[in-house]
Amino acid sequence: MMLSLETLIGEAKQAVMSFDAKKTVDVANRAVAEKVDLVKLIENGFTAGMMEIGDLFEQKKLFLPHIMAAAQALTAALNILTPELEKTGGKISEGLGRFVICSIEGDIHSIGKDIVAIMLKVAGFTVFNIGRDVALKDIIQACKDNKAKYVGTSALMTSTMVNQKTLEELLRKEGIRDKLITNVGGAPVTQEWANSIGADVYSENASDAVAKMTKIAG
């Protein structure tokens, strides 16, 4: 029996919000079997559920153990879906350029950034996912070491957004800002913020990031 993408999206979101790793794995496996759009499933289902958990956490209706449990449930699904996404990009050359990506210093969130990294790799970028809560000096060093053409940072809290601005300033001081295309994203980040700090690209979500970056690279 064919399962609609909308049904799976609803189940994925609910599974994350109920901290049910067994269910997220089940949804992921069925999605692969049914050959539905995995990107839409991740963004509108699994990630949407995680974002709602994050909102409830901000409202102090949930606590850190809930965040961790939801993240574990989401990660269980991504462990299945990531190889499938990478298969679709297997025949694409990595000729679009070297891309350093991370969660900005002070920010421990990584799931959204990891999804962007996967999709950029599928699109044909050579991606260096250097982790979360990465010190600004280490981001700069990674750009130098990997001869990056692009650098993307994610900030999920207003308190860490300011480090995206500081990174822009430090890249200029290091004399490498004009060699890079900078991309900023994360729940509180906006186009206005990107404009105000001098970032080249604002990405609303993973699909937006890939669309904008491939257009620039092309």
Side-chain angles (χ1 to χ4, degrees), residues 15-16 19-22 24-25 46 68-78:
V16 170
F19 322 113
D20 191 341
K22 185 176 179 181
T24 59
V25 166
F46 292 116
M68 294 174 68
Q72 286 171 355
L74 176 51
T75 300
L78 290 181

Side-chain angles (χ1 to χ4, degrees), residues 20-78:
D20 191 341
K22 185 176 179 181
K23 181 66 173 177
T24 59
V25 166
D26 175 60
V27 172
N29 281 324
R30 283 187 287 145
V32 171
E34 295 289 343
K35 296 182 169 59
V36 301
D37 187 325
L38 299 183
V39 172
K40 287 183 178 176
L41 176 68
I42 290 170
E43 290 195 335
N44 300 330
F46 292 116
T47 304
M50 194 70 212
M51 293 299 289
E52 286 204 23
I53 291 288
D55 289 342
L56 291 169
F57 176 74
E58 292 286 340
Q59 296 166 30
K60 295 183 170 52
K61 293 179 180 178
L62 292 177
F63 302 96
L64 189 58
H66 299 110
I67 292 280
M68 294 174 68
Q72 286 171 355
L74 176 51
T75 300
L78 290 181

